[in-house]
Amino acid sequence: MMESQKTIGISTGIAQLDRQLGGGFYPGELTIVAARAGLGKTTFLSHCANEACRKGIPVLFCSAEMDVDSITDREVAQHVGVSINRIRRGNYSEKLYTQIQQAISGIHDNHSSFMAICQ
């Protein structure tokens, strides 16, 4: 570590947060993310899990609040850059439908490192 800028931490994907955490998440440590309902805890942790997957780190993602469909809807919305309500409403334009298909394909490819999505 003396000769490298690399850390043994697992990046959250948010550089400023990684600095505050001393390099990200560390194996063997328990990190609790808490806030009132509706502030984006699951979305944030999904982002962190995806960041780890992109680096080939296996992830087990469990949510006591949302089922697999809800988590997937949120992830598609995040990849496409639209609100979750827009994904759930349907009646997509051709452009949005294509973006959704590409997002689903990308999510599927990225999740080869996901061990499971629990509910």
Side-chain angles (χ1 to χ4, degrees):
M1 288 187 62
M2 185 173 151
E3 297 174 6
S4 174
Q5 294 275 332
K6 285 184 139 184
T7 179
I8 58 172
I10 300 167
S11 176
T12 63
I14 304 169
Q16 189 172 8
L17 180 57
D18 287 345
R19 282 191 296 278
Q20 290 293 318
L21 293 172
F25 298 121
Y26 285 86
E29 289 186 356
L30 173 64
T31 304
I32 297 174
V33 176
R36 66 180 173 83
L39 291 180
K41 296 177 297 292
T42 302
T43 301
F44 163 68
L45 292 170
S46 175
H47 169 81
C48 293
N50 281 315
E51 183 67 22
C53 285
R54 276 191 278 285
K55 295 183 175 154
I57 299 168
V59 172
L60 171 64
F61 190 92
C62 298
S63 174
E65 298 175 332
M66 289 187 210
D67 63 12
V68 173
D69 292 335
S70 295
I71 291 170
T72 303
D73 287 349
R74 289 178 186 279
E75 199 156 341
V76 168
Q78 182 181 358
H79 277 76
V80 175
V82 299
S83 75
I84 183 71
N85 294 332
R86 183 66 191 102
I87 296 298
R88 290 179 172 170
R89 261 195 324 261
N91 195 23
Y92 307 132
S93 67
E94 194 67 37
K95 179 182 176 186
L96 181 57
Y97 183 71
T98 300
Q99 290 174 317
I100 291 170
Q101 288 179 309
Q102 291 170 345
I104 291 169
S105 177
I107 290 167
H108 179 268
D109 293 344
N110 187 43
H111 285 180
S112 62
S113 293
F114 259 102
M115 299 301 285
I117 297 179
C118 309
Q119 20 176 327

